[in-house]
């Protein structure tokens, strides 16, 4: 057997690739996974194969001494590319080609910098910030309203009320007890004279860049390695959720970023040489505790679970160290690594954390919102209660949905989303292989790397439903940066046998960076990038938003509550600055069509082009949703056969004193 094949890490990688292939084939043979689903899951096999190839090429490699361009010139080129992409987007109204044209060469140059033994810190961070800003700013320029999960509408309404009254007690939906997000965005709106939506989005973009810098600072403390810290910052730019939450900015995104800053302050305390420095960090942490307590409640529930996993990894490593003499040689090397700073928590470090935990707990228990009891009830209902209702129903009223097929599954693998998961998995596995091959090199944050690799599983498509998985994924993103940083650092090495091996890592990492802003989560509104299938509505045109504004004024003057609308319209109507915000409810959807009580029904053109949710119940985590879509012919027929009392272009209002039944259904609308 060749020496390369006898390498234990290479053997592990090959075994993992074979295992993934066998599992996918076996689950399909047992009819657990249909063929299209098994093929889509093939991104895991692609990731395993690529990771083995990269691990073999770099097994005896090292960083290179110099890059094609200097750090200063790389930063100048990346900033210029970003500026040109923004300018081209503003002139053409399209962002796809400008973003691709900027990101591909930009990430190639940045990864070439990261391949150096000592990358320049300032130039690399400036380059990464420019590449992170490019897709966010261009999307802001080309998308009138990006509302993501519809919370944006609620935050717009809250911000309008705060700016109008000047009091946080006027904030709706319980935000008066957690007002930091709205105080921050409200300050930006007032100082910069911005509309509430623009203030929220632009604050989110700027805050994401600030979190990028905080990630570098934290990684520099934990890894004690500048190159690894820069790779962690690069990993942040290569993840979906920072790109997504830069525009869909909401309190959890703010709180999670502030927690990263808190981790940096905490990690700085053990390195402080003077008691005065320790006291300054402690005072800062205690001040941050007050801000975090009033920022977002669910964030700390999710973050606590992640901390528990990391601490379990620390304890497992300590247990291995205690039994080192009786362990195999490779495992003994793992146990014999220097103790991680995460395993040493002196009183001066733990004190602010304990105070912070007690402050958050006390506020959740004692605040009039009683949010803690709601969280407990929601957790029970989501994970422990039996006999839960089936998942969300989908009703294509008159629309012939494409039948899932092997051809569609293969095509999905070639979309930016399919490519993203394969590349992300490959870089993650390279990080794990690098750790196993050289434990001592990454001992400073070994438990965090292992815990991050294990938790990163939830970042990939899974065949099981996890309640509020998108919130969990955003928190996990920050833990997964550790193994990804190791993977990037290791992939960007050149082999002693081939100086060209580093090009494989550069292309791998650069491809991941370029494809990330084009995944379905970050760029689902780009036409022509994905399969020709309807998706959920996540954006709204300026015409429709203005029409909803006028509709809210129209309805508020005529009714006090007998209005029915889909979930998106309901939240948008409630956010409009009418004398009395319209509260819509009562719409139901089934295979027979839409049904609503007597009063008004708000109909919207997007029903014919996207899947739209209808709320059928709720809990502290999220409303249970049913989804529907329809054909243009059925929609026009529904408008024609009912009393259309308002026509505002993309938004119409129907009236019926006897109630609505079967709207868009087979008996009341043509196909």
């Amino acid at each position: 057997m060749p020496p390369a094949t006898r390498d234990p890490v290479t053997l592990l990688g090959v075994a993992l690739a074979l295992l993934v292939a066998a599992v996918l084939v076996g689950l399909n043979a047992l009819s657990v996974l249909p063929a299209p689903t098994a093929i889509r899951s093939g991104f895991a096999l692609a990731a395993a194969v690529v990771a083995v190839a990269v691990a073999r090429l770099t097994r005896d490699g090292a960083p290179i001494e110099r890059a094609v361009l200097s750090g200063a010139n790389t930063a100048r080129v990346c900033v210029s590319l970003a500026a040109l992409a923004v300018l081209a987007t503003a002139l053409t109204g399209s962002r796809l080609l400008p973003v691709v044209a900027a990101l591909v060469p930009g990430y190639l140059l940045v990864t070439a910098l990261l391949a150096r033994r000592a990358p320049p810190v300032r130039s690399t961070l400036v380059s990464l910030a420019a590449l992170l800003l490019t897709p966010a700013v261009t999307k802001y320029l080309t998308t009138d309203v990006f509302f993501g999960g519809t919370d944006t509408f609620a935050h717009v309404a809250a911000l309008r009320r705060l700016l109008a009254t000047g009091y946080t007690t006027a904030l709706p939906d319980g935000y008066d007890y957690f007002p930091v997000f709205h105080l921050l965005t409200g300050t930006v709106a007032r100082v910069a004279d911005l509309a509430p939506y623009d203030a929220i989005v632009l604050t989110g973009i700027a805050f994401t860049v600030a979190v990028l810098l905080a990630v570098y600072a934290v990684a520099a403390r934990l890894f004690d390695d500048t190159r690894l810290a820069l790779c962690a910052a690069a990993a942040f730019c290569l993840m979906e959720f920072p790109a997504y939450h830069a525009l869909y900015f909401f309190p959890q995104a703010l709180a999670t970023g502030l927690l990263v800053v808190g981790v940096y302050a905490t990690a700085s305390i053990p390195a402080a040489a003077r008691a005065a420095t320790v006291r300054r960090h402690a005072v800062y942490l205690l001040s941050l505790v007050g801000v975090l307590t009033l920022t977002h409640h669910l964030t700390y529930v999710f973050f606590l679970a992640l901390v528990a996993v990391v601490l379990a990894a620390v304890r497992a490593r300590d247990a291995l160290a205690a039994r080192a003499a009786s362990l195999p040689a490779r495992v003994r090397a793992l146990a014999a690594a220097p103790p991680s700073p995460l395993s040493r928590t002196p009183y001066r470090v733990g004190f602010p954390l304990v105070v912070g935990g007690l402050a958050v707990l006390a506020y959740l228990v004692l605040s009039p919102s009683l949010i803690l009891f709601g969280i407990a009830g929601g957790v029970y209902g989501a994970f422990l209660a039996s006999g839960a209702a089936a998942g969300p129903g989908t009703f294509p009223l008159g629309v012939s949905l494409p039948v899932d097929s092997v051809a569609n599954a293969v095509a999905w693998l070639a979309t930016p989303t399919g490519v993203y998961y394969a590349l992300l998995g490959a870089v993650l596995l390279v990080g794990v292989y690098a750790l196993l091959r050289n434990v001592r090199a990454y001992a400073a944050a070994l438990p965090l790397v292992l815990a991050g690799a294990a938790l990163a599983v939830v970042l990939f498509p899974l065949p099981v439903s996890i309640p509020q998985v998108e919130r969990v994924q955003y928190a996990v993103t920050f833990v997964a940066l550790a193994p990804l940083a190791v993977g990037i650092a290791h992939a960007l090495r050149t082999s002693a046998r081939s100086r060209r091996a580093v090009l494989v890592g550069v292309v791998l990492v650069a491809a991941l960076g370029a494809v990330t802003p084009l995944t379905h989560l970050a760029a689902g509104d780009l036409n022509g990038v994905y399969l020709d299938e309807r998706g959920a509505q996540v954006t709204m045109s300026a015409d429709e938003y203005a029409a909803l504004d006028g509709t809210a004024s129209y309805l508020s003057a005529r009714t006090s509550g007998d209005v029915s609308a889909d979930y998106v319209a309901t939240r948008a109507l409630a956010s409009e600055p009418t004398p009395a915000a319209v509260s819509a409810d009562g719409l139901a959807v089934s295979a027979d069509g839409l049904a609503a009580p007597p009063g008004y029904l708000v109909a919207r053109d997007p029903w014919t082009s996207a899947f739209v949710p209808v709320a059928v119940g709720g809990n502290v985590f999220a409303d249970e949703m049913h989804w529907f879509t329809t054909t243009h012919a059925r929609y026009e027929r529904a408008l024609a056969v009912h009393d259309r009392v308002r026509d505002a272009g993309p938004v119409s209002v129907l009236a019926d004193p006897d109630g609505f039944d079967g709207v868009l259904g087979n008996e009341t609308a043509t196909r």
Side-chain angles (χ1 to χ4, degrees):
M1 182 180 293
T5 309
R6 290 199 298 267
D7 174 32
V9 173
T10 301
L11 290 175
L12 175 64
V14 172
L16 179 61
L18 294 175
L19 177 63
V20 170
V23 168
L24 293 178
V25 172
L27 291 177
N28 176 245
L30 295 172
S31 299
V32 176
L33 291 180
T37 303
I39 291 174
R40 285 189 184 89
S41 302
F43 73 83
L45 178 60
V49 171
V50 172
V52 170
V54 174
R56 288 190 61 181
L57 286 172
T58 56
R59 65 186 182 276
D60 57 352
I64 61 177
E65 296 300 330
R66 60 187 180 87
V68 177
L69 286 181
S70 67
N73 286 334
T74 297
R76 292 188 185 99
V77 171
C78 288
V79 171
S80 299
L81 289 171
L84 289 173
V86 171
L87 179 61
T89 299
L91 294 176
T92 63
S94 173
R95 76 175 190 275
L96 177 58
L97 291 179
V99 166
V100 172
L103 295 188
V104 172
Y107 273 114
L108 284 172
L109 292 174
V110 169
T111 50
L113 274 186
L114 293 173
R116 294 171 57 174
R117 188 176 302 277
V121 174
R122 182 178 300 177
S123 299
T124 305
L125 290 177
V126 169
S127 302
L128 288 172
L131 297 177
L132 183 63
L133 283 170
T134 300
V137 174
T138 53
K139 185 170 182 176
Y140 168 70
L141 293 176
T142 57
T143 307
D144 292 328
V145 179
F146 177 70
F147 57 80
T150 72
D151 279 355
T152 295
F153 293 122
H155 297 309
V156 167
L159 199 54
R160 280 175 171 157
R161 191 173 298 184
L162 177 63
L163 293 172
T165 64
Y167 295 99
T168 59
T169 52
L171 292 173
D173 303 320
Y175 293 132
D176 50 333
Y177 299 112
F178 302 93
V180 172
F181 173 84
H182 300 98
L183 288 172
L184 173 63
T185 54
T187 300
V188 173
R190 181 62 58 84
V191 172
D193 193 24
L194 293 170
Y197 172 77
D198 298 288
I200 290 172
V201 173
L202 293 177
T203 303
I205 294 174
F207 185 76
T208 302
V209 174
V211 174
L212 166 68
L213 304 179
V215 165
Y216 166 77
V218 170
R221 287 293 185 189
L222 294 181
F223 286 118
D224 195 24
D225 185 311
T226 299
R227 181 169 180 262
L228 270 178
L230 289 173
C231 288
F236 179 78
C237 297
L238 306 184
M239 302 294 283
E240 274 189 308
F241 283 92
Y244 176 63
H245 286 304
L247 288 107
Y248 181 44
F249 188 50
F250 69 125
Q252 184 186 344
L254 174 62
T256 306
L258 292 176
L259 280 170
V260 175
V261 177
V263 170
Y264 170 72
T266 303
S268 299
I269 291 179
R274 297 167 45 194
T277 305
V278 173
R279 286 194 293 270
R280 282 198 297 270
H281 282 304
V283 170
Y284 172 78
L285 277 171
L286 292 175
S287 302
L288 186 61
V289 162
V291 175
L292 285 169
T293 301
L294 301 175
T295 301
H296 193 256
H297 47 280
L298 282 176
T299 302
Y300 316 116
V301 177
F302 296 128
F303 216 78
L304 182 62
L306 301 184
V307 170
V309 173
V310 173
L311 291 179
V314 171
R315 300 309 175 201
R317 185 230 174 267
D318 292 344
L320 282 175
R323 301 176 51 199
S326 61
L327 295 174
R330 186 162 289 272
V331 181
R332 189 163 59 248
L334 178 71
S340 167
L342 294 172
S343 63
R344 299 190 301 269
T345 308
Y347 175 76
R348 61 183 183 178
V349 176
F351 172 70
L353 301 179
V354 172
V355 172
L358 292 177
V360 171
L361 180 63
Y363 190 72
L364 293 180
V365 171
L366 299 177
S367 67
S369 63
L370 299 178
I371 190 65
L372 188 64
F373 300 102
I375 292 173
V379 170
Y380 176 82
F383 296 103
L384 303 179
S386 60
T394 301
F395 302 98
L397 303 175
V399 177
S400 298
L401 297 181
V403 178
D404 199 9
S405 64
V406 170
N408 282 348
V410 173
W412 180 88
L413 288 174
T415 64
T417 300
V419 174
Y420 168 80
Y421 287 127
L423 296 179
L424 183 70
V427 175
L428 187 71
L429 287 174
V430 170
V432 174
Y433 297 155
L435 175 68
L436 295 177
R437 181 171 280 134
N438 192 352
V439 174
R440 285 188 173 274
Y442 308 107
L446 186 147
L448 186 61
V449 172
L450 293 179
L455 290 167
V457 173
V458 304
L459 299 176
F460 297 88
L462 297 175
V464 295
S465 177
I466 302 176
Q468 288 291 295
V469 67
E470 68 282 353
R471 293 182 184 269
V472 175
Q473 286 171 324
Y474 187 55
V476 167
T477 291
F478 290 90
V479 186
L481 294 179
L484 285 172
V486 174
I488 292 172
H490 193 80
L492 301 178
R493 293 158 65 99
T494 182
S495 171
R497 294 179 176 84
S498 173
R499 310 306 291 181
R500 293 187 297 271
V502 72
L503 294 178
V504 175
V506 168
V507 171
L508 171 69
V509 178
L512 177 57
V515 79
T516 297
L518 303 178
T519 62
H520 188 73
L521 179 68
D525 57 310
L526 280 177
N527 296 325
V529 177
Y530 290 90
L531 304 178
D532 189 18
E533 298 178 2
R534 298 186 181 191
Q537 185 191 11
V538 295
T539 63
M540 186 174 289
S541 67
D543 289 342
E544 185 182 1
Y545 200 49
L548 283 168
D549 186 2
T551 299
S553 300
Y554 173 86
L555 292 171
S556 65
R558 288 165 176 79
T559 180
S560 59
D562 50 347
V563 179
S564 299
D566 61 71
Y567 189 69
V568 172
T570 296
R571 304 207 77 180
L573 287 169
S575 73
E576 297 301 339
T578 57
V582 174
S583 177
D585 201 0
L587 184 64
V589 59
S590 66
D592 297 326
L594 303 179
Y600 296 97
L601 173 62
V602 179
R604 302 187 300 119
D605 283 358
W607 291 1
T608 66
S609 59
F611 277 94
V612 181
V614 173
V616 296
N619 54 52
V620 70
F621 286 110
D623 293 301
E624 182 186 349
M625 298 294 174
H626 286 173
W627 299 79
F628 76 93
T629 188
T630 191
T631 63
H632 182 74
R634 287 194 177 210
Y635 180 75
E636 291 297 328
R637 175 66 175 166
L639 297 182
V641 300
H642 290 90
D643 184 11
R644 190 179 186 182
V645 296
R646 177 175 170 81
D647 179 2
V651 178
S652 299
V653 178
L654 310 179
D656 194 328
D658 299 321
F660 301 87
D661 189 24
V663 179
L664 306 177
N666 291 329
E667 297 181 1
T668 60
T670 61
R671 292 184 181 276

